[in-house]
């Protein structure tokens, strides 16, 4: 007599306690032979899965209510929903009031900035003239600085030209500096300086 068929299809003989897989028919009509299962062997299909009670309780949380508490009636549910709705409306009103306050602060800051810009637009003529004078001085200083750099390069290039005229052999990069002599002179003239790096006005006064 056989009983206790497991999930893996293993049958246990109730009389002898032997375990085996009974014979069966294949799709082509052939017969599979009976397979004996050694004592103590347990296939994966027959291994029971471990069930964690805490995990199962966590999955079903909120469905059964608070343990030991009485179930809420429909009237209690309605009152709780009304209270939550009132609190949410109150919070919404607070958020709206904060948003309006921020907008008001932003508009005041914008108006103050516009007022400051308008004050700057109404700068006195004397202050504007002083600013123009400072810009002119800065421009002149920048021109003189650039002229000094050009004058230095021009002096170096002319020294190399003199060395070449004396028979000295120059390097390729030194020859490139010689080629740039006319360009350096042209840049000095565009800044208002002569080929020696002096201002044209001062040079003309010295000649006179």
């Amino acid at each position: 007599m056989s009983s206790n068929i497991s999930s893996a299809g293993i049958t246990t003989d109730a009389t002898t306690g032997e375990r085996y897989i009974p014979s069966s028919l294949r799709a082509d009509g052939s017969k599979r032979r009976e397979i004996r299962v050694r004592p103590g062997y347990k296939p994966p299909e027959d291994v029971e899965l471990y069930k964690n009670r805490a995990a199962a309780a966590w999955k079903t949380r909120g469905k059964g209510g608070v343990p030991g508490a009485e179930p809420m009636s429909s009237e209690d549910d309605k009152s709780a929903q009304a209270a939550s709705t009132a609190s949410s409306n109150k919070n919404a009103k607070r958020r709206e009031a904060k948003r309006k306050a921020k907008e008001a602060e932003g508009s005041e800051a914008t108006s103050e900035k516009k007022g400051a810009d308008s004050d700057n637009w109404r700068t006195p003529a004397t202050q504007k003239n002083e600013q123009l004078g400072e810009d002119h001085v800065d421009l002149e200083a920048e021109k003189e600085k650039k002229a000094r750099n050009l004058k230095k390069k021009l002096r170096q290039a002319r020294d190399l030209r003199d060395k070449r005229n004396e028979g000295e052999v120059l390097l390729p990069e030194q020859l490139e500096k010689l080629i740039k002599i006319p360009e350096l002179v042209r840049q000095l003239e565009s800044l208002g300086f002569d080929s020696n790096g002096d201002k044209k006005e001062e040079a003309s006064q010295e000649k006179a």
Side-chain angles (χ1 to χ4, degrees), residues 91-133:
N91 293 333
K93 289 180 181 179
R94 288 179 180 176
R95 288 194 294 269
E96 184 67 18
K98 288 182 180 181
R99 185 180 63 81
K100 289 182 179 180
K102 287 183 179 180
E103 290 180 355
E105 291 177 0
S107 62
E108 290 178 0
T110 304
S111 61
E112 289 177 0
K113 185 177 180 181
K114 288 183 179 178
D117 293 340
S118 62
D119 293 339
N120 292 334
W121 182 73
R122 292 185 179 86
T123 304
T126 55
Q127 188 173 354
K128 287 186 178 180
N129 292 333
E130 290 177 359
Q131 291 178 356
L132 291 174

Tab-separated table of all heavy atoms in Angstrom, residues 91-133:
chain	number	residue	atom	x	y	z
A	91	ASN	N	-3.592	73.842	6.330
A	91	ASN	CA	-2.211	73.872	5.842
A	91	ASN	C	-2.114	74.544	4.488
A	91	ASN	O	-1.152	75.263	4.193
A	91	ASN	CB	-1.655	72.451	5.763
A	91	ASN	CG	-1.490	71.824	7.134
A	91	ASN	OD1	-1.303	72.529	8.116
A	91	ASN	ND2	-1.569	70.501	7.199
A	92	ALA	N	-3.103	74.300	3.627
A	92	ALA	CA	-3.101	74.928	2.307
A	92	ALA	C	-3.201	76.443	2.429
A	92	ALA	O	-2.530	77.195	1.706
A	92	ALA	CB	-4.245	74.383	1.472
A	93	LYS	N	-4.037	76.921	3.367
A	93	LYS	CA	-4.163	78.368	3.565
A	93	LYS	C	-2.857	78.966	4.071
A	93	LYS	O	-2.443	80.054	3.659
A	93	LYS	CB	-5.278	78.657	4.563
A	93	LYS	CG	-6.679	78.389	4.005
A	93	LYS	CD	-7.741	78.700	5.037
A	93	LYS	CE	-9.144	78.421	4.488
A	93	LYS	NZ	-10.197	78.694	5.493
A	94	ARG	N	-2.172	78.244	4.958
A	94	ARG	CA	-0.880	78.741	5.451
A	94	ARG	C	0.144	78.834	4.327
A	94	ARG	O	0.887	79.819	4.236
A	94	ARG	CB	-0.366	77.804	6.553
A	94	ARG	CG	-1.131	77.910	7.869
A	94	ARG	CD	-0.582	76.933	8.874
A	94	ARG	NE	-1.293	77.013	10.157
A	94	ARG	CZ	-1.064	76.213	11.185
A	94	ARG	NH1	-0.136	75.257	11.080
A	94	ARG	NH2	-1.734	76.342	12.300
A	95	ARG	N	0.186	77.791	3.496
A	95	ARG	CA	1.136	77.828	2.361
A	95	ARG	C	0.822	78.975	1.407
A	95	ARG	O	1.728	79.641	0.894
A	95	ARG	CB	1.097	76.490	1.614
A	95	ARG	CG	1.729	75.339	2.374
A	95	ARG	CD	1.957	74.149	1.465
A	95	ARG	NE	0.701	73.588	1.003
A	95	ARG	CZ	0.036	72.616	1.625
A	95	ARG	NH1	0.511	72.103	2.762
A	95	ARG	NH2	-1.098	72.138	1.134
A	96	GLU	N	-0.469	79.234	1.180
A	96	GLU	CA	-0.850	80.335	0.296
A	96	GLU	C	-0.428	81.679	0.880
A	96	GLU	O	0.056	82.567	0.164
A	96	GLU	CB	-2.366	80.292	0.084
A	96	GLU	CG	-2.888	81.326	-0.881
A	96	GLU	CD	-2.433	81.093	-2.302
A	96	GLU	OE1	-2.003	79.957	-2.601
A	96	GLU	OE2	-2.499	82.032	-3.108
A	97	ALA	N	-0.611	81.833	2.213
A	97	ALA	CA	-0.215	83.090	2.853
A	97	ALA	C	1.300	83.298	2.764
A	97	ALA	O	1.788	84.408	2.492
A	97	ALA	CB	-0.659	83.080	4.316
A	98	LYS	N	2.079	82.228	2.966
A	98	LYS	CA	3.538	82.338	2.847
A	98	LYS	C	3.946	82.710	1.430
A	98	LYS	O	4.855	83.518	1.221
A	98	LYS	CB	4.186	81.015	3.251
A	98	LYS	CG	4.139	80.738	4.744
A	98	LYS	CD	4.832	79.438	5.067
A	98	LYS	CE	4.793	79.139	6.561
A	98	LYS	NZ	5.488	77.862	6.883
A	99	ARG	N	3.271	82.107	0.442
A	99	ARG	CA	3.613	82.400	-0.957
A	99	ARG	C	3.347	83.865	-1.290
A	99	ARG	O	4.146	84.538	-1.942
A	99	ARG	CB	2.806	81.486	-1.874
A	99	ARG	CG	3.167	81.609	-3.354
A	99	ARG	CD	2.318	80.681	-4.190
A	99	ARG	NE	0.906	81.043	-4.106
A	99	ARG	CZ	0.348	82.018	-4.816
A	99	ARG	NH1	1.085	82.746	-5.647
A	99	ARG	NH2	-0.930	82.289	-4.693
A	100	LYS	N	2.210	84.391	-0.806
A	100	LYS	CA	1.887	85.796	-1.071
A	100	LYS	C	2.891	86.723	-0.392
A	100	LYS	O	3.280	87.757	-0.944
A	100	LYS	CB	0.477	86.093	-0.581
A	100	LYS	CG	-0.610	85.450	-1.443
A	100	LYS	CD	-1.987	85.822	-0.940
A	100	LYS	CE	-3.069	85.204	-1.819
A	100	LYS	NZ	-4.434	85.540	-1.349
A	101	ALA	N	3.315	86.345	0.832
A	101	ALA	CA	4.301	87.173	1.539
A	101	ALA	C	5.621	87.219	0.778
A	101	ALA	O	6.256	88.271	0.638
A	101	ALA	CB	4.516	86.635	2.946
A	102	LYS	N	6.042	86.058	0.228
A	102	LYS	CA	7.284	86.028	-0.557
A	102	LYS	C	7.162	86.873	-1.813
A	102	LYS	O	8.088	87.572	-2.206
A	102	LYS	CB	7.623	84.582	-0.913
A	102	LYS	CG	8.137	83.766	0.258
A	102	LYS	CD	8.515	82.372	-0.187
A	102	LYS	CE	9.053	81.561	0.978
A	102	LYS	NZ	9.434	80.185	0.559
A	103	GLU	N	6.004	86.791	-2.481
A	103	GLU	CA	5.804	87.601	-3.689
A	103	GLU	C	5.861	89.088	-3.360
A	103	GLU	O	6.413	89.884	-4.122
A	103	GLU	CB	4.466	87.236	-4.326
A	103	GLU	CG	4.440	85.846	-4.964
A	103	GLU	CD	3.096	85.527	-5.570
A	103	GLU	OE1	2.167	86.352	-5.403
A	103	GLU	OE2	2.972	84.458	-6.204
A	104	ALA	N	5.273	89.469	-2.218
A	104	ALA	CA	5.301	90.882	-1.829
A	104	ALA	C	6.737	91.339	-1.560
A	104	ALA	O	7.149	92.428	-1.986
A	104	ALA	CB	4.447	91.087	-0.578
A	105	GLU	N	7.525	90.500	-0.879
A	105	GLU	CA	8.928	90.849	-0.630
A	105	GLU	C	9.702	90.980	-1.936
A	105	GLU	O	10.519	91.882	-2.110
A	105	GLU	CB	9.568	89.785	0.253
A	105	GLU	CG	9.046	89.779	1.686
A	105	GLU	CD	9.651	88.660	2.506
A	105	GLU	OE1	10.462	87.907	1.931
A	105	GLU	OE2	9.322	88.548	3.702
A	106	GLY	N	9.429	90.078	-2.885
A	106	GLY	CA	10.126	90.147	-4.175
A	106	GLY	C	9.778	91.409	-4.934
A	106	GLY	O	10.638	92.050	-5.549
A	107	SER	N	8.501	91.816	-4.901
A	107	SER	CA	8.101	93.037	-5.611
A	107	SER	C	8.739	94.267	-4.979
A	107	SER	O	9.160	95.197	-5.668
A	107	SER	CB	6.578	93.156	-5.599
A	107	SER	OG	6.101	93.253	-4.264
A	108	GLU	N	8.846	94.278	-3.630
A	108	GLU	CA	9.501	95.415	-2.966
A	108	GLU	C	10.974	95.498	-3.336
A	108	GLU	O	11.504	96.575	-3.606
A	108	GLU	CB	9.356	95.271	-1.441
A	108	GLU	CG	7.921	95.481	-0.947
A	108	GLU	CD	7.810	95.271	0.548
A	108	GLU	OE1	8.862	94.977	1.151
A	108	GLU	OE2	6.709	95.423	1.094
A	109	ALA	N	11.643	94.342	-3.386
A	109	ALA	CA	13.063	94.353	-3.758
A	109	ALA	C	13.247	94.836	-5.186
A	109	ALA	O	14.175	95.590	-5.502
A	109	ALA	CB	13.641	92.948	-3.599
A	110	THR	N	12.316	94.442	-6.070
A	110	THR	CA	12.408	94.881	-7.472
A	110	THR	C	12.218	96.378	-7.586
A	110	THR	O	12.921	97.069	-8.334
A	110	THR	CB	11.358	94.140	-8.310
A	110	THR	OG1	11.545	92.730	-8.152
A	110	THR	CG2	11.496	94.509	-9.784
A	111	SER	N	11.234	96.923	-6.822
A	111	SER	CA	10.991	98.368	-6.875
A	111	SER	C	12.191	99.145	-6.327
A	111	SER	O	12.567	100.191	-6.846
A	111	SER	CB	9.728	98.708	-6.077
A	111	SER	OG	9.891	98.328	-4.723
A	112	GLU	N	12.811	98.606	-5.250
A	112	GLU	CA	14.001	99.279	-4.715
A	112	GLU	C	15.137	99.292	-5.719
A	112	GLU	O	15.849	100.284	-5.878
A	112	GLU	CB	14.440	98.574	-3.432
A	112	GLU	CG	13.497	98.793	-2.262
A	112	GLU	CD	13.926	98.025	-1.032
A	112	GLU	OE1	14.967	97.338	-1.138
A	112	GLU	OE2	13.262	98.127	0.007
A	113	LYS	N	15.293	98.174	-6.441
A	113	LYS	CA	16.361	98.116	-7.448
A	113	LYS	C	16.104	99.112	-8.563
A	113	LYS	O	17.007	99.786	-9.051
A	113	LYS	CB	16.447	96.694	-7.995
A	113	LYS	CG	17.589	96.489	-8.952
A	113	LYS	CD	17.654	95.043	-9.396
A	113	LYS	CE	18.827	94.843	-10.360
A	113	LYS	NZ	18.895	93.434	-10.824
A	114	LYS	N	14.820	99.203	-8.985
A	114	LYS	CA	14.491	100.164	-10.045
A	114	LYS	C	14.768	101.582	-9.580
A	114	LYS	O	15.243	102.433	-10.332
A	114	LYS	CB	13.027	99.997	-10.440
A	114	LYS	CG	12.749	98.723	-11.222
A	114	LYS	CD	11.299	98.659	-11.640
A	114	LYS	CE	11.023	97.400	-12.451
A	114	LYS	NZ	9.590	97.308	-12.830
A	115	GLY	N	14.429	101.858	-8.288
A	115	GLY	CA	14.695	103.188	-7.766
A	115	GLY	C	16.184	103.502	-7.757
A	115	GLY	O	16.599	104.611	-8.084
A	116	ALA	N	16.990	102.514	-7.391
A	116	ALA	CA	18.446	102.722	-7.394
A	116	ALA	C	18.957	102.970	-8.802
A	116	ALA	O	19.809	103.824	-9.034
A	116	ALA	CB	19.140	101.516	-6.772
A	117	ASP	N	18.411	102.216	-9.776
A	117	ASP	CA	18.829	102.423	-11.165
A	117	ASP	C	18.441	103.806	-11.643
A	117	ASP	O	19.196	104.465	-12.374
A	117	ASP	CB	18.193	101.347	-12.053
A	117	ASP	CG	18.731	99.964	-11.737
A	117	ASP	OD1	19.822	99.898	-11.130
A	117	ASP	OD2	18.062	98.971	-12.074
A	118	SER	N	17.234	104.253	-11.247
A	118	SER	CA	16.814	105.591	-11.681
A	118	SER	C	17.701	106.659	-11.058
A	118	SER	O	18.021	107.673	-11.683
A	118	SER	CB	15.346	105.823	-11.290
A	118	SER	OG	15.196	105.762	-9.878
A	119	ASP	N	18.117	106.450	-9.791
A	119	ASP	CA	19.025	107.410	-9.168
A	119	ASP	C	20.356	107.457	-9.912
A	119	ASP	O	20.933	108.518	-10.117
A	119	ASP	CB	19.258	107.031	-7.705
A	119	ASP	CG	17.976	107.197	-6.881
A	119	ASP	OD1	17.084	107.957	-7.338
A	119	ASP	OD2	17.869	106.559	-5.819
A	120	ASN	N	20.842	106.308	-10.321
A	120	ASN	CA	22.084	106.284	-11.091
A	120	ASN	C	21.907	106.988	-12.428
A	120	ASN	O	22.826	107.599	-12.953
A	120	ASN	CB	22.525	104.836	-11.298
A	120	ASN	CG	22.957	104.200	-9.989
A	120	ASN	OD1	23.377	104.885	-9.076
A	120	ASN	ND2	22.826	102.876	-9.901
A	121	TRP	N	20.696	106.861	-13.017
A	121	TRP	CA	20.453	107.506	-14.311
A	121	TRP	C	20.471	109.029	-14.176
A	121	TRP	O	20.840	109.742	-15.085
A	121	TRP	CB	19.085	107.047	-14.825
A	121	TRP	CG	18.751	107.620	-16.169
A	121	TRP	CD1	19.286	107.278	-17.362
A	121	TRP	CD2	17.826	108.669	-16.432
A	121	TRP	NE1	18.736	108.022	-18.370
A	121	TRP	CE2	17.830	108.890	-17.824
A	121	TRP	CE3	16.982	109.435	-15.639
A	121	TRP	CZ2	17.027	109.836	-18.417
A	121	TRP	CZ3	16.176	110.386	-16.241
A	121	TRP	CH2	16.205	110.583	-17.618
A	122	ARG	N	20.080	109.496	-12.967
A	122	ARG	CA	20.070	110.936	-12.721
A	122	ARG	C	21.378	111.399	-12.087
A	122	ARG	O	21.412	112.261	-11.221
A	122	ARG	CB	18.897	111.307	-11.809
A	122	ARG	CG	17.530	111.111	-12.470
A	122	ARG	CD	16.420	111.604	-11.573
A	122	ARG	NE	15.110	111.449	-12.196
A	122	ARG	CZ	14.381	110.348	-12.143
A	122	ARG	NH1	14.849	109.301	-11.499
A	122	ARG	NH2	13.200	110.280	-12.728
A	123	THR	N	22.486	110.813	-12.498
A	123	THR	CA	23.794	111.214	-11.970
A	123	THR	C	24.103	112.641	-12.412
A	123	THR	O	23.879	113.010	-13.568
A	123	THR	CB	24.883	110.278	-12.502
A	123	THR	OG1	24.517	108.949	-12.163
A	123	THR	CG2	26.223	110.602	-11.879
A	124	PRO	N	24.631	113.458	-11.516
A	124	PRO	CA	24.962	114.843	-11.901
A	124	PRO	C	25.979	114.877	-13.038
A	124	PRO	O	26.773	113.964	-13.230
A	124	PRO	CB	25.553	115.434	-10.609
A	124	PRO	CG	24.991	114.571	-9.514
A	124	PRO	CD	24.849	113.215	-10.093
A	125	ALA	N	25.948	115.992	-13.787
A	125	ALA	CA	26.835	116.134	-14.940
A	125	ALA	C	28.295	116.135	-14.519
A	125	ALA	O	29.159	115.598	-15.224
A	125	ALA	CB	26.504	117.415	-15.696
A	126	THR	N	28.562	116.731	-13.361
A	126	THR	CA	29.960	116.768	-12.904
A	126	THR	C	30.495	115.361	-12.650
A	126	THR	O	31.638	115.050	-12.994
A	126	THR	CB	30.059	117.590	-11.615
A	126	THR	OG1	29.141	117.047	-10.644
A	126	THR	CG2	29.692	119.043	-11.871
A	127	GLN	N	29.657	114.526	-12.048
A	127	GLN	CA	30.099	113.151	-11.776
A	127	GLN	C	30.322	112.396	-13.075
A	127	GLN	O	31.261	111.616	-13.204
A	127	GLN	CB	29.055	112.437	-10.914
A	127	GLN	CG	29.505	111.068	-10.420
A	127	GLN	CD	28.525	110.482	-9.446
A	127	GLN	OE1	27.564	111.136	-9.056
A	127	GLN	NE2	28.764	109.250	-9.056
A	128	LYS	N	29.444	112.638	-14.078
A	128	LYS	CA	29.633	111.995	-15.382
A	128	LYS	C	30.934	112.448	-16.026
A	128	LYS	O	31.662	111.648	-16.621
A	128	LYS	CB	28.459	112.321	-16.297
A	128	LYS	CG	27.179	111.596	-15.922
A	128	LYS	CD	26.099	111.863	-16.951
A	128	LYS	CE	24.841	111.098	-16.613
A	128	LYS	NZ	23.774	111.338	-17.595
A	129	ASN	N	31.225	113.734	-15.905
A	129	ASN	CA	32.465	114.231	-16.490
A	129	ASN	C	33.685	113.602	-15.813
A	129	ASN	O	34.689	113.295	-16.460
A	129	ASN	CB	32.527	115.756	-16.359
A	129	ASN	CG	31.475	116.439	-17.232
A	129	ASN	OD1	31.068	115.870	-18.252
A	129	ASN	ND2	31.037	117.625	-16.834
A	130	GLU	N	33.596	113.435	-14.478
A	130	GLU	CA	34.702	112.802	-13.771
A	130	GLU	C	34.905	111.364	-14.246
A	130	GLU	O	36.037	110.901	-14.431
A	130	GLU	CB	34.419	112.817	-12.264
A	130	GLU	CG	34.502	114.209	-11.650
A	130	GLU	CD	34.147	114.186	-10.179
A	130	GLU	OE1	33.819	113.082	-9.687
A	130	GLU	OE2	34.198	115.238	-9.533
A	131	GLN	N	33.785	110.654	-14.465
A	131	GLN	CA	33.888	109.278	-14.949
A	131	GLN	C	34.511	109.237	-16.340
A	131	GLN	O	35.350	108.381	-16.637
A	131	GLN	CB	32.504	108.625	-14.972
A	131	GLN	CG	31.932	108.381	-13.584
A	131	GLN	CD	30.539	107.786	-13.640
A	131	GLN	OE1	29.971	107.631	-14.712
A	131	GLN	NE2	29.993	107.468	-12.480
A	132	LEU	N	34.097	110.180	-17.198
A	132	LEU	CA	34.682	110.229	-18.541
A	132	LEU	C	36.173	110.536	-18.470
A	132	LEU	O	36.972	109.981	-19.233
A	132	LEU	CB	33.967	111.287	-19.383
A	132	LEU	CG	32.509	110.964	-19.757
A	132	LEU	CD1	31.863	112.152	-20.458
A	132	LEU	CD2	32.448	109.733	-20.659
A	133	GLY	N	36.547	111.440	-17.546
A	133	GLY	CA	37.965	111.764	-17.401
A	133	GLY	C	38.773	110.564	-16.940
A	133	GLY	O	39.879	110.316	-17.431
